[in-house]
Amino acid sequence: MMTSFLVRFAIVLSCLSVAAGLPAHAQQEPARSAPAVSTDLSAPAPGTAQTMAPPASGQAAAAGSESGTRGGKSVTTGLDELSPLGMFLKADIVVKAVMIMLALASIASWTILIAKSLEFSVLRRRLVGALRKLTGAKSLAEAHLALGQGKNVAALLLQAAISEARLSAGLGSDEGIKERAASSFTEIVRAEARRVRTGMGLLATVGAISPFVGLFGTVWGIMNSFIGISKSQTTNLAVVAPGIAEALLATAIGLAAAIPAVIIYNHFSRVAKGYLELVNRASGTTGRLLSRDLDRSHTGRHVRAAE
């Protein structure tokens, strides 16, 4: 009796232990067999995931280098477009015309600077030498022999004095001779002043109107930029900046043409003033030589009359 009870108890206990162990075993088996029965073809196998990683990183690096190259090219292209030459080529036809006119005006100013510098250097050297000879002469004849047929204003003044003395020979009024000679001297000095100031009017014009011409080009360019903004319906700085930069380039060229022109004009005004002072000295020296000759002629006539 006791034995049968123990046998039944053992059978029941074994059944309970089997029933308790089945769920844990069932949970472990699907977890182990899940990879084997997976039908997802897109998921890489464990062994191939590691081998495919390097190509993916290489593609990313290539894509990064390509984007960096494109970015560098775009930056370089943008800088080229914002260069002075690029802005000039992309500017409106009116702005281009303004820039070309201002550039030609600037070239004219520098040409005048070179030409007038050489001219004043030669004229001043010749006049200083002629004035030294006039000062050392005692009569018009002696001064004429010293100067010869020189191509300078002193020679013209001397020839005017000699011509007036010859034309007025036999006239009794020395004051009339001096007045007529002084009138001739004044005309020669004025003509010389007009000659040495040739080209300075252009310098004054360039210096006065170049900023306003450049401002006209700027206003025209900015107006076109605003029209482009209204058409594109965007206020992006990348769209607005090139047109405004092109417009401002006209003002910059206008100032670059005006500032040197004003400086060159003021320089030659001082040089011309100094040169004309030398011309006036030559005129006064020639007038004194004429006065001496007239006095000598009167003295000679008085001596001959006394004899």
Side-chain angles (χ1 to χ4, degrees):
M1 186 71 181
M2 186 65 180
T3 302
S4 62
F5 174 76
L6 292 175
V7 171
R8 293 176 180 176
F9 179 77
I11 292 172
V12 173
L13 182 61
S14 62
C15 290
L16 292 175
S17 63
V18 171
L22 281 176
H25 181 72
Q27 289 176 0
Q28 293 177 359
E29 286 298 325
R32 293 178 183 177
S33 61
V37 297
S38 176
T39 60
D40 188 5
L41 298 178
S42 62
T48 60
Q50 297 178 356
T51 59
M52 293 299 291
S57 61
Q59 292 178 357
S65 62
E66 184 179 358
S67 62
T69 304
R70 292 177 180 176
K73 290 181 179 179
S74 63
V75 171
T76 304
T77 304
L79 291 177
D80 292 339
E81 290 178 353
L82 291 179
S83 64
L85 180 59
M87 289 187 290
F88 170 76
L89 295 176
K90 293 186 64 178
D92 184 75
I93 185 64
V94 176
V95 181
K96 281 184 180 179
V98 169
M99 293 180 184
I100 292 173
M101 287 190 297
L102 292 173
L104 293 177
S106 180
I107 293 173
S109 299
W110 290 106
T111 302
I112 292 173
L113 171 64
I114 297 172
K116 298 296 288 185
S117 297
L118 296 175
E119 180 185 5
F120 275 115
S121 177
V122 173
L123 290 177
R124 187 179 181 86
R125 184 176 66 252
R126 289 178 179 177
L127 184 56
V128 168
L131 187 58
R132 188 180 301 113
K133 293 176 182 179
L134 284 176
T135 305
K138 296 181 180 179
S139 64
L140 293 175
E142 185 178 348
H144 181 67
L145 291 175
L147 291 179
Q149 299 296 327
K151 295 181 180 180
N152 54 69
V153 66
L156 294 177
L157 291 170
L158 185 61
Q159 292 172 5
I162 294 173
S163 298
E164 185 59 36
R166 289 175 181 175
L167 293 173
S168 301
L171 298 179
S173 175
D174 292 343
E175 294 298 327
I177 298 174
K178 294 177 182 179
E179 288 178 0
R180 289 187 290 272
S183 176
S184 300
F185 295 164
T186 301
E187 292 178 357
I188 293 172
V189 171
R190 288 177 178 175
E192 186 69 10
R194 287 192 299 269
R195 188 174 72 86
V196 297
R197 287 195 174 97
T198 303
M200 295 181 64
L202 179 60
L203 291 174
T205 302
V206 171
I209 70 173
S210 290
F212 299 101
V213 175
L215 184 60
F216 167 75
T218 298
V219 171
W220 186 274
I222 291 177
M223 181 179 64
N224 289 334
S225 298
F226 282 129
I227 294 174
I229 292 171
S230 63
K231 289 182 179 180
S232 61
Q233 295 183 354
T234 179
T235 57
N236 189 1
L237 187 60
V239 178
V240 179
I244 296 177
E246 295 164 9
L248 293 176
L249 181 62
T251 298
I253 296 177
L255 294 175
I259 294 173
V262 173
I263 295 174
I264 295 170
Y265 176 82
N266 292 333
H267 168 69
F268 283 128
S269 295
R270 293 190 296 269
V271 174
K273 183 179 179 180
Y275 173 74
L276 291 177
E277 288 179 356
L278 292 176
V279 173
N280 288 324
R281 285 179 57 188
S283 175
T285 303
T286 306
R288 288 191 293 273
L289 290 175
L290 177 61
S291 179
R292 291 192 191 104
D293 284 357
L294 292 175
D295 290 343
R296 289 192 186 100
S297 64
H298 282 296
T299 303
R301 285 198 297 268
H302 290 314
V303 171
R304 286 192 296 270
E307 291 178 353

